[in-house]
């Protein structure tokens, strides 16, 4: 962010002090304010929900815009010299790449302005001062915020339109539109669709999602993703070229053609996806046949990706829907999942190393059919250590893990995959 102080800023000292105090108080709560704004936008704008990576990009954009605006207000800088944050520009580009209407982007800023000003005026109530000072401070808050939103909206819309035009020129745009029709269940002429895609739909498919992070590359990751897909196809013995569809410049949807084969086991796929230091993540569904299998395998890969993105950081390099199916369904409502996990596990869900070790031991014990010896082998510790840890875990729970084995197993899986998203930050 580059801002230049406005040395000639006018207004009384009392107004300046009031506005600065409001900005300072709100800056302390910046993460909470940004999260509330993100929640409102994703709830009220239909195109913005359901994609965890897009929601994360939205969160980054919201927080960066709020931080910039609070800086301008708090330091009384010239709002016309404040640059639109890079995260906001990146989010606009991502919406254009996904084909989301520009109206959704504009509404983000309109609703964001509304929420931000409501918070400012609410904070203004807590500031002492004469009526004239409060009125002048309110006018400054509205004026500066409106000016900032107006400039930022112009910048991100221009960036959106440039990216939309550039993306439309991509030869894969038509194929991407046809694939989008397929996965959304629209009726299509199969012969014509196969000709456009250069891919046979009447066979077995394995849906994948591949993605990387902006931090891992200074430019598009698509060439790297294409190389990874070619390698996967070769390692798994695909006789026909996989279907590769860019979703944005950091991710792609992929279908591996399996012909009439039933598919691959998870271990084989994970081994094939192990590409060393390549900064690429892979999520995979289960094999499926025909158009229905094409669609379902893709949906499962998307759900597996949601688990990977919502959970551990950085995301695991390979995530299979078959390993995370129940947890994937929980990602649709992480808040409810967090409450349920904490209801089941209580303080055993505490996010620290000792409780993580206890959870790992209980999970191994249950997954080994309640065998102390097998769990010890899996964990690489002595059987007595397994028994000791299980006793400690039951002390934390307050009851035997055998009393509610199914719920405990599912809750532990959620902790294992979703991490901080469902764990307790401190003792309840």
């Amino acid at each position: 962010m580059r801002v230049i102080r406005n040395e000639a800023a006018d207004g009384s000292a009392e107004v300046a002090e009031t506005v600065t105090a409001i900005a300072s108080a709100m800056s302390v709560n910046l993460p909470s304010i940004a999260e509330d704004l993100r929640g409102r936008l994703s709830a009220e704008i239909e195109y913005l929900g359901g994609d965890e990576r897009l929601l994360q990009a939205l969160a980054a954009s919201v927080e960066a815009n709020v931080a910039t605006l609070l800086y301008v207000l708090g330091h009384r800088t010239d709002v016309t010299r404040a640059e639109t944050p890079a995260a906001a520009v990146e989010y606009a580009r991502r919406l254009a790449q996904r084909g989301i209407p520009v109206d959704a982007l504009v509404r983000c800023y309109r609703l964001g302005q509304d929420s931000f000003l409501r918070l400012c005026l609410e904070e203004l109530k807590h500031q002492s001062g004469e009526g004239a000072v409060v009125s002048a401070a309110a006018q400054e808050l509205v004026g500066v915020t409106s000016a900032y939103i107006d400039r930022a909206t112009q910048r991100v819309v221009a960036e959106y339109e440039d990216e939309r035009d550039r993306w439309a020129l991509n030869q894969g745009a038509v194929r991407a539109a046809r694939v989008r029709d397929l996965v959304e269940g629209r009726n299509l002429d199969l012969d014509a669709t196969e000709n456009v895609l250069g891919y046979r739909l009447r066979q077995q498919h394995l849906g994948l999602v591949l993605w990387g992070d902006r931090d891992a590359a200074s430019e598009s990751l698509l060439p790297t993703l294409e190389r990874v897909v070619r390698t996967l196809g070769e390692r798994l013995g695909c006789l026909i070229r996989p279907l590769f569809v860019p979703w944005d410049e950091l991710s792609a949807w992929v279908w591996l053609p399996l012909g009439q084969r039933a598919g691959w086991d998870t271990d084989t796929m994970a081994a094939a996806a192990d590409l060393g230091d390549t900064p690429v993540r892979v999520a995979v569904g289960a094999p499926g046949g025909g158009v229905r299998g094409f669609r379902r395998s893709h949906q499962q890969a998307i759900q597996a990706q949601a688990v990977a993105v919502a959970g551990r950081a950085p995301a695991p390099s390979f995530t299979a829907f078959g390993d995370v199916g129940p947890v994937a369904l929980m990602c649709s409502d992480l808040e409810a999942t967090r409450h349920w996990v904490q209801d089941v596990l209580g303080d055993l869900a505490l996010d620290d190393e000792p409780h993580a070790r206890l959870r790992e031991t209980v999970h191994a014990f249950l997954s080994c059919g309640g065998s102390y010896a097998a769990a010890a082998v899996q964990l690489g510790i002595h059987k007595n250590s397994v028994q000791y840890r299980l006793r400690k875990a039951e002390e934390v729970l307050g009851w035997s893990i055998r009393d509610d084995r199914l719920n405990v197993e599912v809750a532990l899986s959620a902790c294992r995959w979703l991490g901080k998203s469902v764990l307790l930050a401190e003792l309840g």
Side-chain angles (χ1 to χ4, degrees):
M1 176 184 67
R2 178 173 65 85
V3 290
I4 299 177
R5 291 182 178 277
N6 181 2
E7 302 294 346
D10 57 6
S12 69
E14 292 85 352
V15 172
E17 182 178 348
T18 299
V19 172
T20 298
I22 290 172
S24 177
M26 292 177 64
S27 295
V28 173
N29 297 317
L30 175 59
S32 176
I33 291 173
E35 177 59 25
D36 288 345
L37 286 179
R38 185 206 64 79
R40 180 185 180 186
L41 298 181
S42 61
E44 295 190 24
I45 303 176
E46 62 175 320
Y47 299 99
L48 304 187
D51 185 326
E52 186 62 31
R53 295 181 72 236
L54 201 59
L55 288 174
Q56 290 180 357
L58 172 61
S61 174
V62 169
E63 185 161 352
N65 272 310
V66 173
T68 301
L69 190 45
L70 288 176
Y71 185 92
V72 169
L73 288 168
H75 293 77
R76 297 177 66 74
T77 59
D78 184 351
V79 69
T80 66
R81 307 298 291 273
E83 292 186 352
T84 304
V89 173
E90 173 65 18
Y91 182 64
R93 296 177 66 246
R94 196 72 62 85
L95 292 186
Q97 293 166 3
R98 301 292 179 87
I100 294 175
V102 69
D103 288 349
L105 178 62
V106 174
R107 284 201 69 207
C108 281
Y109 282 84
R110 289 176 179 167
L111 294 178
Q113 177 180 2
D114 175 72
S115 293
F116 182 82
L117 282 175
R118 287 175 184 271
L119 291 170
C120 288
L121 297 178
E122 184 65 29
E123 186 62 38
L124 181 59
K125 293 180 182 178
H126 304 301
Q127 303 296 325
S128 60
E130 297 179 354
V133 171
V134 171
S135 176
Q139 291 180 35
E140 180 167 331
L141 290 169
V142 172
V144 171
T145 300
S146 298
Y148 176 83
I149 294 297
D150 181 59
R151 289 175 55 82
T153 303
Q154 289 184 51
R155 170 68 197 285
V156 297
V157 167
E159 191 70 34
Y160 172 99
E161 291 175 344
D162 288 346
E163 183 65 16
R164 179 194 58 196
D165 293 343
R166 186 190 71 80
W167 194 254
L169 293 175
N170 189 310
Q171 290 184 349
V174 175
R175 296 169 74 236
R178 192 61 62 94
V179 166
R180 192 176 293 115
D181 288 339
L182 275 172
V183 300
E184 291 177 0
R186 297 187 180 92
N187 293 324
L188 298 171
D189 181 321
L190 288 187
D191 291 331
T193 300
E194 288 181 336
N195 288 334
V196 169
L197 298 180
Y199 180 87
R200 188 160 54 89
L201 294 170
R202 285 160 279 204
Q203 63 173 321
Q204 294 287 319
H205 317 277
L206 190 64
L208 293 80
V209 177
L210 283 79
W211 75 100
D213 301 316
R214 171 64 66 187
D215 294 342
S218 58
E219 54 187 21
S220 173
L221 272 178
L222 292 179
T224 299
L225 298 182
E226 287 191 274
R227 288 195 297 272
V228 170
V229 170
R230 284 198 299 270
T231 301
L232 283 173
E234 292 169 0
R235 291 185 179 182
L236 293 174
C238 294
L239 301 178
I240 304 172
R241 186 174 62 182
L243 175 59
F244 180 93
V245 181
W247 184 227
D248 55 34
E249 63 184 17
L250 298 178
S251 63
W253 293 353
V254 175
W255 285 263
L256 297 182
L258 303 182
Q260 300 307 312
R261 290 173 291 179
W264 309 93
D265 62 79
T266 301
D267 291 340
T268 300
M269 186 68 196
D274 184 5
L275 301 172
D277 296 330
T278 303
V280 172
R281 317 291 183 199
V282 179
V284 58
V291 172
R292 180 176 296 179
F294 179 95
R295 183 181 304 126
R296 185 64 189 136
S297 188
H298 169 73
Q299 291 170 340
Q300 291 173 341
I302 291 290
Q303 290 172 311
Q305 182 197 30
V307 174
V309 173
R312 300 188 297 270
S317 60
F318 177 78
T319 307
F321 180 81
D323 293 333
V324 301
V327 179
L329 300 178
M330 295 178 175
C331 284
S332 61
D333 191 341
L334 280 176
E335 183 176 2
T337 298
R338 180 170 58 252
H339 291 316
W340 179 79
V341 166
Q342 292 169 9
D343 285 343
V344 173
L345 299 181
D347 290 342
L348 191 60
L350 190 64
D351 185 17
D352 63 16
E353 196 278 332
H355 289 82
R357 187 165 54 245
L358 294 181
R359 290 194 299 271
E360 180 186 28
T361 303
V362 175
H363 186 273
F365 176 74
L366 294 176
S367 66
C368 290
S371 168
Y372 294 105
V377 171
Q378 180 175 315
L379 296 169
I381 60 177
H382 195 275
K383 182 174 72 172
N384 291 344
S385 297
V386 174
Q387 293 173 330
Y388 170 76
R389 291 183 188 178
L390 288 174
R391 286 196 300 270
K392 292 291 293 183
E394 290 182 337
E395 288 176 10
V396 175
L397 286 171
W399 40 269
S400 171
I401 58 175
R402 297 172 181 82
D403 292 344
D404 195 9
R405 176 170 179 164
L406 177 59
N407 282 333
V408 169
E409 282 195 271
V410 175
L412 289 172
S413 292
C415 292
R416 184 183 182 192
W417 285 100
L418 300 179
K420 293 183 182 296
S421 298
V422 298
L423 293 172
L424 280 168
E426 57 186 14
L427 287 173

